[in-house]
Amino acid sequence: MPVPPWLARPAALLHPTTAALRALAIANVVAQAGIAVTGSIVRVTQSGLGCPTWPDCAPGSLVPIADPTSGQVHQWIEFGNRLLGGAVGVLSALVLLGALLARPRRGRVIRLALTMPLGVVLQAVIGGLTVRTQLTWWTVSLHFLPSPALVWLAVVLVRAINEGDEPARPLIPRPLRALEVLMTAVLALVVVAGTLVTGAGPHAGDPRTPRLDVPVADLVQGHSDIVFVFVGMLAALGFALRIAGGHRRLWRRFWLLGAVVLAQGALGMIQYWLGVPDVMVIFHVLGATLVVAAMAALWCESRDRGARHHAVPADTPTHVAAAN
């Protein structure tokens, strides 16, 4: 009876295929965005101090314990978010392990993969600080900010797995590449301004937490102004690409970003007019991660690093390997 190829070559099981590594990386993008969304659920349900300490959920207990006053609902919401954070950490570690085991070993992919578990650890430490400072508004803002950065890097990692390792070659004129850099900086300001609105808004994560003592209307206006600057830059990029002639995949990324930005802007306005209902806060956080992901995808599509070199199996005949 013939021996199955996978049993005859067990060492091959230690080296994930490009498709498997890419699937892990895509799952990582979803997880990095998802943990930001579940964090918003903790906030709008006022469950931020459901687990009043860290790393334990309650003093002397890693898991929720019965509370005769408030019950366990808030505890389990916060503890559930912590468990999901652990799952994201495991997934990010698997992404790094896959990058280390893949053949050929690629330094840039490994470095990008390394940012995932490091980012999760940073998030956990900031989360602990947030709990221990009783959800002080600036710690809540600081706790959110690594998420969009990790989403951006996760999207770049997905792209890196399927591209080569040559120096980046711009596919758009240099002034438009500079415009994309400025757009990215403005998008970062939009995200930071959004956290300030949250710091002064009604969803603190716990009703006893002091808020940022600045009128919400003023912060919303500032946040909106920066969004309008970003939208104007996006429109300018579109007109310039029409003149310069962008390739088809670049245009698809451009229109995707435009659609997500417009949807997010409309959601933000409706959210404000309706008095910031809980469910719309959750969707707004989701929209923010989607905007970041779409901008990262446009960024990646604006340059080229050549074709990825495929690994040659160890048992490939020498003359075939030379031909490749």
Side-chain angles (χ1 to χ4, degrees):
M1 181 177 180
V3 179
W6 62 268
L7 188 58
R9 298 175 57 203
L13 298 176
L14 298 178
H15 304 307
T17 65
T18 299
L21 183 57
R22 188 171 185 272
L24 274 175
I26 292 173
N28 179 63
V29 175
V30 176
Q32 297 293 352
I35 196 65
V37 174
T38 59
S40 70
I41 295 175
V42 172
R43 182 157 48 85
V44 300
T45 57
Q46 305 291 342
S47 302
L49 292 178
C51 292
T53 186
W54 186 90
D56 288 342
C57 180
S61 177
L62 185 63
V63 299
I65 59 176
D67 187 330
T69 303
S70 59
Q72 289 184 289
V73 174
H74 292 308
Q75 290 186 53
W76 278 106
I77 292 175
E78 165 62 10
F79 184 69
N81 189 59
R82 293 187 182 187
L83 288 178
L84 287 173
V88 175
V90 171
L91 178 59
S92 65
L94 289 175
V95 171
L96 175 58
L97 181 62
L100 289 170
L101 294 177
R103 294 294 181 270
R105 183 174 291 178
R106 303 171 60 200
R108 180 167 175 266
V109 172
I110 292 174
R111 289 190 295 272
L112 285 169
L114 179 61
T115 64
M116 297 297 106
L118 291 180
V120 171
V121 171
L122 176 64
Q123 278 281 52
V125 172
I126 298 175
L129 173 67
T130 302
V131 172
R132 289 182 175 271
T133 58
Q134 302 295 295
L135 305 188
T136 305
W137 72 266
W138 63 268
T139 62
V140 176
S141 297
L142 191 62
H143 189 36
F144 173 77
L145 290 177
S147 287
L150 288 171
V151 169
W152 179 286
L153 290 171
V155 171
V156 175
L157 173 59
V158 172
R159 172 63 180 241
I161 291 171
N162 269 3
E163 67 182 356
D165 297 309
E166 300 174 9
R169 178 177 63 86
L171 298 178
I172 57 177
R174 186 181 298 273
L176 299 191
R177 191 63 172 162
L179 178 58
E180 285 189 343
V181 173
L182 289 176
M183 288 176 62
T184 303
V186 172
L187 180 58
L189 290 177
V190 170
V191 173
V192 172
T195 67
L196 297 181
V197 175
T198 298
H203 300 293
D206 186 89
R208 298 161 293 181
T209 300
R211 313 304 292 132
L212 173 60
D213 189 20
V214 177
V216 176
D218 293 346
L219 291 172
V220 170
Q221 184 63 57
H223 180 55
S224 301
D225 290 344
I226 302 173
V227 170
F228 285 131
V229 171
F230 182 81
V231 171
M233 297 174 79
L234 181 60
L237 178 63
F239 281 115
L241 285 176
R242 179 63 65 182
I243 297 173
H247 59 280
R248 182 177 300 178
R249 287 176 58 88
L250 179 63
W251 274 112
R252 285 204 295 263
R253 298 295 184 270
F254 173 83
W255 289 118
L256 174 62
L257 175 60
V260 175
V261 168
L262 291 178
Q264 176 73 339
L267 180 62
M269 290 187 291
I270 296 172
Q271 177 185 5
Y272 182 71
W273 293 334
L274 294 181
V276 200
D278 294 353
V279 68
M280 296 196 75
V281 172
I282 298 170
F283 281 112
H284 199 57
V285 171
L286 173 61
T289 63
L290 293 178
V291 170
V292 170
M295 183 67 213
L298 178 65
W299 175 279
C300 292
E301 204 60 58
S302 300
R303 86 284 185 276
D304 178 63
R305 289 182 177 270
R308 179 179 59 85
H309 296 291
H310 296 268
V312 179
D315 59 350
T316 300
T318 305
H319 69 280
V320 177
N324 290 335

